[in-house]
Amino acid sequence: ALGASEVLALQTCPELLSLSAPEFFVEVLQRRLEVRGLCEGPNFRFGRGREGDLRLLARLCAEAGIPLEEAPWQALGGEAVSSSRI
């Protein structure tokens, strides 16, 4: 209904969870998924131990020439909308 043509849910496994934020960006987003653009919320975290944040993602995207859009914070029923909550 919101226009997504595909949705991918990655299954967690030790190999995926062991990737640092930069390794995840390169190996998963660039090499495997060949992303052409990203949209993430302000509290986005990625990589081993949730070490990567939106600032790091913005830097990695800029270096790779990948557009990044920050989605504004949204609330539903007085609570923040997040992937964990969804």
Side-chain angles (χ1 to χ4, degrees):
L2 296 175
S5 58
E6 293 182 45
V7 175
L8 172 67
L10 295 176
Q11 294 294 321
T12 56
C13 63
E15 293 80 17
L16 182 65
L17 295 174
S18 71
L19 295 173
S20 69
E23 289 170 337
F24 181 87
F25 182 84
V26 171
E27 291 299 321
V28 177
L29 299 180
Q30 284 188 290
R31 290 192 180 140
R32 294 182 191 177
L33 298 178
E34 299 179 354
V35 297
R36 301 284 186 249
L38 293 169
C39 180
E40 293 295 347
N43 62 346
F44 175 71
R45 305 296 291 205
F46 69 111
R48 181 179 51 238
R50 298 173 43 92
E51 68 185 5
D53 59 8
L54 192 60
R55 217 169 91 185
L56 175 60
L57 183 61
R59 182 175 60 80
L60 294 169
C61 283
E63 290 171 0
I66 296 172
L68 172 64
E69 181 177 334
E70 182 178 348
W73 184 87
Q74 297 289 318
L76 182 62
E79 293 184 52
V81 174
S82 68
S83 59
S84 299
R85 187 170 170 221
I86 291 168

